[in-house]
Amino acid sequence: MDSLMTYAQENSSSESGASFIWWLASTVGLWMMFQKANEPGWISIIPFYNQYKLCEKTMGNPWYWLRLFVVIIPFIGWIAYFYFQFQIGK
């Protein structure tokens, strides 16, 4: 058990670095996408506001992103998640 804790403590910094790189890549991608949509790029940094603006631009209805909270429901959430991602991707 001690070796497992030691391993987790030694490798925690590399995982946080990977998470930061993933966040940075996502933010840069959203920034560029919002600029192409004639919106200010800083929107990509604000957590829920970026999803609001994304749904407003892609689906025409800005309140559509609230339906994404259905994903919390166990089995129905999986189906709803794929449906909403399909709708955003169209």
Side-chain angles (χ1 to χ4, degrees):
M1 186 66 163
D2 290 333
S3 63
L4 182 62
M5 292 299 290
T6 305
Y7 177 78
Q9 290 172 350
E10 289 174 357
N11 293 321
S12 65
S13 63
S14 65
E15 290 178 11
S16 64
S19 298
F20 176 73
I21 291 171
W22 180 261
W23 174 83
L24 186 64
S26 299
T27 303
V28 168
L30 277 174
W31 189 292
M32 293 168 46
M33 185 178 64
F34 280 125
Q35 284 183 335
K36 282 187 173 186
N38 295 325
E39 293 285 336
W42 59 265
I43 292 174
S44 64
I45 300 172
I46 313 298
F48 291 102
Y49 187 60
N50 65 12
Q51 293 299 311
Y52 173 81
K53 294 302 275 186
L54 179 67
C55 288
E56 180 183 28
K57 287 290 185 181
T58 58
M59 294 181 218
N61 186 359
W63 292 103
Y64 202 83
W65 72 277
L66 287 175
R67 297 179 188 176
L68 295 175
F69 286 116
V70 173
V71 176
I72 297 171
I73 301 171
F75 182 70
I76 298 169
W78 299 336
I79 297 168
Y81 171 78
F82 290 116
Y83 172 74
F84 292 133
Q85 290 302 318
F86 175 75
Q87 291 295 325
I88 289 173
K90 279 199 306 189

